[in-house]
């Protein structure tokens, strides 16, 4: 408690607390906006395929991140095909702020 | 020349009001010199990027989510390593500091292992645990552990025996002597050990990430050499410096000072 009071009383402490608060707000914003990135029309089954759009061409880092959720079967410009995703993981993918849109991958796509 | 002097005087006056400026002021000539050399052009930009190049790379890596993710990984590893290091180091240090028998048995072993650098463990750790989180966590815990143990022992031994006796004469049981005399008395030293240990741990983590990592700031810098991106390497260095400055000067140093002020007198 005394430490918190000291932190609140110093400029550096206030900056750090401000940074922490900004980070929490940012996380809340990401959490709130994630569902809007997921398009409708996903088939009603546990494992699904998705086409993920980014605002830039994906790099190795992004492919590695997507491989945590499913199999990356190809990229096309700024879009990544991700197969075999657990349905419950769609929200987690959408919470990456650099993901713009998640759509169902059409059959044969 | 007069304009420069006036600017310097303005900076000094403003920095009295805003101490953050005083911290940043020494970097102004460094960045100016860096910028001037880059603009003058004795080295190609691919070898010697300018500050705007590094800033542009920072913006790109933030937009692509690479820098926050890697930074989070590095900080998370350091936090886990520090927590485990403190969790093991403080009790062990208290035990070695309080028990003469434990001190006789363990002190040479502690000094022996302290002499073996963290990076010297990497070859054997890679064989045991492979390229991954366990190896990196081991390196950080190992690096944090010894400064914490050794400083805790020093702290425990610097608590005056009269304070033990006074507490005993007032009827305090051993656990109360431990929690109300020994630990507070040793706390300034524990914090010093933690501060040193985290400093060494941060450096060890970057080295470990370069060798065994698949993410983190060390990995970012080492991976950048593959693409020949000096800009990314310089950016990694700047991020490391700034982050450590914030952790050390804004978090650890004030806690160390506060513990010193609150409990430091117990040891005198």
């Amino acid at each position: 408690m005394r430490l918190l009071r000291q932190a609140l009383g110093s400029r550096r402490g206030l900056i750090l607390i401000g940074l922490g608060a900004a980070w929490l707000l940012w996380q809340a914003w990401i959490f709130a906006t994630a569902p809007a990135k997921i398009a409708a029309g996903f088939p009603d089954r546990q494992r699904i395929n998705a086409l993920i759009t980014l605002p830039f061409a994906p790099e190795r880092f992004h492919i590695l991140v997507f491989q945590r959720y499913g199999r990356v079967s190809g990229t096309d410009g700024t879009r990544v095909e991700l197969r075999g995703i657990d349905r419950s993981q769609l929200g987690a993918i959408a919470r990456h702020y650099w993901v713009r849109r998640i759509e169902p991958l059409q059959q044969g796509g | 020349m007069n304009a420069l002097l006036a600017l310097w005087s303005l900076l000094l006056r403003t920095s009295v009001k805003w101490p953050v400026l005083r911290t940043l002021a020494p970097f102004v000539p460094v960045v100016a010199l860096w910028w001037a050399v880059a603009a003058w052009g004795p080295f190609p930009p691919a070898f010697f990027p300018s500050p705007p190049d590094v800033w542009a790379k920072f913006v790109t890596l933030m937009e692509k989510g690479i820098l926050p993710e890697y930074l989070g990984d590095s900080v998370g590893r350091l936090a886990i390593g520090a927590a485990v290091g403190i969790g093991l180091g403080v009790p062990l240090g208290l035990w070695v500091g309080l028990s003469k028998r434990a001190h006789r048995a363990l002190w040479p072993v502690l000094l022996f292992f302290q002499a073996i650098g963290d990076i010297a463990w990497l070859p054997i750790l890679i064989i045991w645990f492979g390229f991954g989180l366990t190896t990196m966590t081991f390196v950080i815990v190992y690096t944090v552990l010894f400064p914490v143990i050794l400083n805790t022992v020093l702290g425990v031994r610097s608590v005056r025996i009269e304070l033990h006796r006074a507490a005993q004469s007032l009827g305090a049981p051993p656990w109360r002597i431990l929690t109300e005399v020994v630990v507070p008395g040793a706390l300034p030293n524990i914090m010093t050990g933690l501060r040193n240990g985290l400093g060494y741990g941060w450096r060890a983590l970057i080295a470990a990430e370069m060798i065994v990592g698949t993410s983190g700031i060390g990995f970012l810098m080492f991976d950048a050499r593959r693409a020949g991106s000096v800009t990314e390497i310089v950016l990694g260095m700047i991020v490391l410096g700034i982050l450590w400055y914030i952790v050390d000067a804004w978090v650890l140093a004030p806690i160390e000072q506060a513990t010193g002020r609150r409990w430091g007198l117990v040891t005198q």
Side-chain angles (χ1 to χ4, degrees), chain A residues 25-83:
Chain A
L25 276 175
W26 171 242
Q27 292 302 315
W29 166 256
I30 285 171
F31 201 83
T33 54
K37 295 180 187 173
I38 305 169
F42 277 99
D44 194 18
R45 56 173 194 260
Q46 193 60 28
R47 296 269 163 197
I48 48 178
N49 303 330
L51 189 65
I52 301 166
T53 307
L54 310 180
F56 45 79
E59 294 182 14
R60 189 170 63 129
F61 165 79
H62 306 98
I63 302 297
L64 288 173
V65 169
F66 288 137
Q67 279 175 345
R68 292 179 205 157
Y69 304 103
R71 298 185 319 279
V72 174
S73 62
T75 60
D76 177 20
T78 62
R79 299 200 290 187
V80 181
E81 290 173 13
L82 190 61
R83 294 172 191 268

Side-chain angles (χ1 to χ4, degrees), chain B residues 94-264:
Chain B
L94 289 173
W95 183 44
V96 173
L98 287 170
S99 160
K100 277 186 184 152
R101 199 174 290 171
H103 189 269
R104 240 191 333 265
L106 291 179
W107 193 250
V109 181
L110 286 172
L111 291 185
F112 174 83
F113 280 107
Q114 195 213 7
I116 302 171
D118 33 59
I119 301 298
W121 278 92
L122 270 181
I124 201 168
L125 290 175
I126 291 170
I127 294 170
W128 286 348
F129 305 118
F131 290 79
L133 188 63
T134 315
T135 302
M136 280 184 280
T137 309
F138 187 100
V139 168
I140 303 167
V141 171
Y142 184 85
T143 316
V144 172
L145 194 61
F146 286 97
V148 172
I149 294 178
L150 298 177
N151 277 287
T152 307
V153 173
L154 182 70
V156 169
R157 299 206 143 209
S158 62
V159 177
R160 282 161 51 192
I161 194 72
E162 289 88 339
L163 292 171
H164 285 256
R165 288 181 185 146
Q168 270 174 332
S169 70
L170 290 168
W175 66 270
R176 280 196 76 178
I177 296 176
L178 181 73
T179 54
E180 290 180 30
V181 177
V182 178
V183 172
L187 212 51
N189 286 79
I190 294 172
M191 280 311 301
T192 306
L194 179 65
R195 195 175 166 194
N196 288 338
L198 279 179
Y200 298 142
W202 184 237
R203 279 178 255 174
L205 170 68
I206 300 308
E209 281 177 348
M210 284 184 172
I211 299 168
V212 300
T214 51
S215 68
I217 295 294
F219 174 76
L220 174 89
M221 290 167 70
F222 204 58
D223 198 44
R225 97 215 177 281
R226 213 168 34 88
S229 175
V230 178
T231 316
E232 237 167 277
I233 298 169
V234 173
L235 174 63
M237 289 174 170
I238 294 171
V239 169
L240 287 180
I242 291 174
L243 196 71
W244 181 249
Y245 181 82
I246 291 172
V247 171
D248 189 68
W250 288 24
V251 181
L252 295 177
I255 295 176
E256 191 183 15
Q257 280 166 9
T259 50
R261 266 201 303 270
R262 173 75 177 81
W263 287 291

Side-chain angles (χ1 to χ4, degrees), chain B residues 1-9:
Chain B
M1 196 65 191
N2 280 342
L4 270 177
L5 280 173
L7 192 70
W8 185 248
S9 155

Side-chain angles (χ1 to χ4, degrees), chain A residues 2-3 6 11-13 15-16 19 55-57 59-62 64-65 68 96-98, chain B residues 17-20 23 62-66 68-70 219 223 226 245-246 249-251 258:
Chain A
R2 173 196 286 264
L3 210 64
Q6 276 178 355
R11 189 173 283 144
R12 286 173 178 182
I15 292 172
L16 284 179
L19 285 175
F56 45 79
E59 294 182 14
R60 189 170 63 129
F61 165 79
H62 306 98
L64 288 173
V65 169
R68 292 179 205 157
H96 291 289
Y97 68 86
W98 37 270
Chain B
K17 271 191 208 162
W18 296 90
V20 175
T23 308
M62 287 299 282
E63 279 171 356
K64 292 183 175 177
I66 298 174
E69 176 97 5
Y70 282 171
F219 174 76
D223 198 44
R226 213 168 34 88
Y245 181 82
I246 291 172
W250 288 24
V251 181

